[in-house]
Amino acid sequence: MTGLFPGFLILSAAMFSVGAVGVLVRRNPLVVFMSIELMLNAANLALITYARYTHTMAGQVFALIVIAVAASEVVVGLALITGVYRSGHKLNLDELSEMSE
Amino acid sequence: MTTLLSLPPWFPLHFVPASNLVGILPVLIVGGGSVLVLLADLAVPRRGNLVLPVISGVVVLGALGTAVGQWILNATNPVVFNGAFADDRFALFADFVVLLTALAVICLSPGYLRRRGMEEGEYYILLLASLTGMLVLSGATNLIVIFLGVELLSIPLYVLAGFARDEPLSQEAAMKYLLLGGFASGFLLYGMALIYGETGHTGLAAIHQQLLQGALSHSFDPMLLAGIALLSVGLLFKVSAAPFQWWTPDVYQGSPAIVTTFMSVATKVAAFAVFLRLFSATLAPYRSEWEVPIAVVAIISMVFGNLVAVAQTSVKRVLAYSGIAQAGYILIGVAVGSPDGTQAALYYLAAYAFMNTGAFAVLTILSQRGEDCDRYSQLAGLWRRQPLLAGLMALFMLSLAGFPMTVGFFGKFFLFSAAIHDGQLPLAIWGILTSAVSLFYYLRVILVMFTAVPDADSDTAPTLAGLSLEGTAVASSTAASVGIPAGVVVVLAGVGTVVLGIFPALIYTLLQGITVVHG
């Protein structure tokens, strides 16, 4: 395991970066939302790797809680995105800018 | 652990020591109240009655009473759940501010929701759920609990921001808040993962011990610093400090005014509570590393918020940029790091609650069907139509600008003097300079209200004198019953702004001796 430890962390950092870049460059709110989930799951991977590395359970508990929280965030988020779509908006963040100065 | 009372075995949480449950009683009351309102919403007829706001108000009052009781009976080591949650006076003070704000919002809600045609029971459920998250956050002394608090606070607010379902601006606000809030949560969580990985703990006390050892040997772990940086980004986002403020103006402008009231005050107080706890206690050993970045963020927020606010045409946007600037002022208290700084920041949060709730409350009262009171033209000539409201709004604007004899003056005074005592003169100078700039846009609101003649647009605005602040369209007896609480809230906020501006000791003595516990 210890041999794989940096590997998992690098994978987690890569996932986080892909997610963060995705939020910044993609314009479809669904894809942006997926990128956010990717960031949260990157953190989960880091938490579990560290839990194994430090021989503590807190990281695994934390990851389980994050999974539950992310699920509820998805429920609310998809409902909001559906609501925006139904109200006649195109699903493009660049066109979602009626307020600006 | 000694138990004050033993719970019977049929009780849902009987395996938890009762002292723990007593410690989180305000959280339990508000969280339970949210479920109660959910059930009551099914039982009562849908529209036009005050059952749900009354239940919500009683719940919040109950939590407030419990928090006062905990303050009076303050235990020596008020940490519960194995150091995961603290009900120390620091948390209780933040609870007071958050709960009073929530109470004001609940008093303002029935009239506002009726005028805007959004009377839905879900509003109160979501409000109480978000309030639960804030109470969790103010006492959290464990990374897991902090994350739970942040999410419990945010997720109901995403929905509340989009509560005006027919209005594109509200939908846009909800979408932006959701996506950018989620983005910030990602940073927050990854920062927590790195801190946990490098220290092996999620409890703040244990993390503090690890940091002390590292700081003693002058070896600052780079991964740990990265974790602290990511965590700070997530939290700075929640308190809307520049340069992490992109969401604030759009979300504040697009959300229904009553939601903006709650969001701008209560969220900021709760997020700053955890911010202060983390930085003034847990991360104190690493102060040499984070002091400068936090001070820079404070200065950027003050300069950016105050300068951009000058150019706005929407009153809600002005208040949003003003909120960014206020976040900068409070960050001075964090950057100073001394107990003085923490107390000054807490004082400013309380002052901010009074003046900002008051200012937004005036906007909610003036809002009509279909649109919030948001343009300068809608405030034009307010002095002639509603002298009391105009006078109070002027008072709140002066207080936000930091005029003497208002609570905002002492808020700024304590912060700047704490910075000077700590040898951080530049922070105080930037604060004073940007306060001078802020006078420009606060005075412009006052000028519009007192001198401009209302244009054709605002002829339809409610033209009632005195406290019966309901539109003339609704002239029944229930109009008074929703108009009077709203009027009382605004007047009380105004009284608080003046009284605390003359006798700052009323709050400051409460703050003396508050020490931050971190589990």
Side-chain angles (χ1 to χ4, degrees):
Chain A
M1 177 61 202
T2 42
L4 285 174
F5 172 66
F8 281 114
L9 279 189
I10 291 167
L11 175 63
S12 145
M15 274 168 69
F16 185 82
S17 311
V18 168
V21 171
V23 172
L24 294 175
V25 303
R26 296 306 294 263
R27 294 279 65 103
N28 185 322
L30 281 172
V31 180
V32 171
F33 205 52
M34 270 165 54
S35 306
I36 290 171
E37 294 304 312
L38 196 59
M39 289 167 72
L40 292 181
N41 282 321
N44 276 346
L45 183 59
L47 281 171
I48 294 166
T49 312
Y50 277 129
R52 186 69 182 266
Y53 177 65
T54 58
H55 302 290
T56 50
M57 287 302 289
Q60 300 203 18
V61 175
F62 203 163
L64 280 174
I65 289 176
V66 171
I67 290 169
V69 168
S72 49
E73 196 169 358
V74 166
V75 169
V76 170
L78 288 183
L80 279 177
I81 293 173
T82 314
V84 170
Y85 181 67
R86 284 219 182 130
S87 70
H89 281 293
K90 287 223 179 78
L91 282 185
N92 186 328
L93 290 181
D94 286 336
E95 293 176 24
L96 258 183
S97 56
E98 291 175 38
M99 295 173 285
S100 54
E101 304 265 339
Chain B
M1 191 173 284
T2 55
T3 53
L4 297 170
L5 61 153
S6 60
L7 296 166
W10 49 263
F11 193 79
L13 293 169
H14 67 91
F15 50 85
V16 180
S19 60
N20 284 349
L21 294 182
V22 172
I24 60 163
L25 210 49
V27 178
L28 290 180
I29 289 174
V30 176
S34 167
V35 177
L36 188 70
V37 175
L38 182 70
L39 295 175
D41 185 35
L42 296 172
V44 297
R46 200 66 182 186
R47 278 173 179 268
N49 66 62
L50 297 174
V51 176
L52 298 182
V54 166
I55 296 178
S56 314
V58 168
V59 164
V60 174
L61 271 180
L64 200 57
T66 322
V68 171
Q70 285 180 331
W71 179 285
I72 294 168
L73 305 169
N74 198 0
T76 45
N77 185 21
V79 176
V80 292
F81 285 104
N82 285 325
F85 191 88
D87 59 336
D88 55 348
R89 290 197 161 175
F90 173 79
L92 289 174
F93 185 83
D95 286 357
F96 291 153
V97 179
V98 168
L99 287 168
L100 280 175
T101 308
L103 198 60
V105 167
I106 289 169
C107 289
L108 291 165
S109 294
Y112 176 82
L113 295 180
R114 184 168 301 171
R115 281 193 297 278
R116 301 273 272 115
M118 310 191 294
E119 281 189 303
E120 306 284 347
E122 287 82 2
Y123 171 83
Y124 297 101
I125 303 165
L126 293 166
L127 195 72
L128 289 183
S130 182
L131 185 61
T132 313
M134 292 167 187
L135 298 182
V136 168
L137 202 52
S138 70
T141 52
N142 187 308
L143 294 180
I144 300 178
V145 183
I146 293 175
F147 180 72
L148 271 180
V150 167
E151 292 297 307
L152 187 53
L153 173 168
S154 305
I155 292 176
L157 274 182
Y158 300 151
V159 185
L160 281 177
F163 209 71
R165 273 181 304 184
D166 304 329
E167 292 170 24
L169 288 192
S170 178
Q171 295 300 314
E172 184 184 332
M175 178 83 99
K176 283 184 174 161
Y177 198 24
L178 167 78
L179 294 179
L180 291 172
F183 192 45
S185 297
F187 280 98
L188 184 77
L189 185 63
Y190 207 80
M192 286 180 176
L194 290 182
I195 293 175
Y196 160 69
E198 294 304 305
T199 60
H201 297 284
T202 56
L204 297 190
I207 291 171
H208 179 71
Q209 288 304 321
Q210 294 276 329
L211 293 186
L212 269 182
Q213 287 169 14
L216 279 180
S217 54
H218 291 287
S219 58
F220 297 105
D221 187 342
M223 286 289 260
L224 202 49
L225 287 176
I228 293 172
L230 287 172
L231 182 75
S232 313
V233 168
L235 286 176
L236 287 170
F237 196 93
K238 291 286 168 200
V239 302
S240 63
F244 312 102
Q245 87 302 345
W246 323 285
W247 59 278
T248 316
D250 284 354
V251 173
Y252 278 25
Q253 187 191 356
S255 307
I258 191 79
V259 177
T260 313
T261 314
F262 186 64
M263 190 155 43
S264 68
V265 179
T267 311
K268 196 164 275 185
V269 174
F272 261 117
V274 77
F275 210 99
L276 282 167
R277 193 188 289 281
L278 273 170
F279 280 82
S280 72
T282 310
L283 303 178
Y286 271 39
R287 177 146 178 250
S288 56
E289 307 299 303
W290 55 255
E291 189 178 8
V292 173
I294 295 288
V296 168
V297 169
I299 292 173
I300 294 176
S301 303
M302 290 187 286
V303 172
F304 178 85
N306 281 321
L307 285 184
V308 180
V310 171
Q312 302 304 313
T313 54
S314 145
V315 182
K316 272 155 113 189
R317 269 182 112 79
V318 168
L319 287 176
Y321 282 107
S322 139
I324 294 168
Q326 313 286 349
Y329 295 128
I330 302 167
L331 278 174
I332 294 179
V334 180
V336 167
S338 62
D340 272 357
T342 307
Q343 285 165 16
L346 284 176
Y347 186 90
Y348 201 88
L349 285 173
Y352 179 74
F354 274 101
M355 51 203 188
N356 223 41
T357 308
F360 273 111
V362 173
L363 291 187
T364 62
I365 288 172
L366 292 174
S367 294
Q368 294 156 275
R369 178 164 291 276
E371 125 179 281
D372 278 335
C373 173
D374 193 27
R375 280 168 290 126
Y376 277 118
S377 62
Q378 285 165 303
L379 287 176
L382 188 68
W383 171 246
R384 288 187 208 147
R385 286 178 282 138
Q386 303 216 13
L388 181 64
L389 274 186
L392 286 169
M393 187 69 170
L395 176 68
F396 299 133
M397 289 295 126
L398 289 178
S399 181
L400 282 166
F403 257 59
M405 304 284 278
T406 60
V407 68
F409 171 75
F410 280 104
K412 288 204 170 90
F413 173 76
F414 290 139
L415 279 171
F416 297 159
S417 65
I420 292 170
H421 278 301
D422 196 57
Q424 310 221 30
L425 196 59
L427 275 178
I429 292 174
W430 278 106
I432 292 164
L433 286 178
T434 52
S435 298
V437 174
S438 74
L439 269 179
F440 179 79
Y441 59 85
Y442 291 128
L443 286 181
R444 188 160 79 169
V445 174
I446 298 176
L447 203 65
V448 165
M449 287 191 302
F450 281 78
T451 60
V453 181
D455 59 19
D457 246 14
S458 51
D459 279 350
T460 50
T463 51
L464 284 182
L467 281 183
S468 175
L469 303 159
E470 193 63 14
T472 34
V474 193
S476 62
S477 61
T478 51
S481 67
V482 297
I484 288 173
V488 169
V489 163
V490 188
V491 171
L492 280 184
V495 169
T497 305
V498 174
V499 169
L500 294 175
I502 300 171
F503 306 108
L506 288 178
I507 288 187
Y508 211 68
T509 45
L510 282 184
L511 291 170
Q512 293 301 319
I514 281 192
T515 48
V516 185
V517 179
H518 50 67

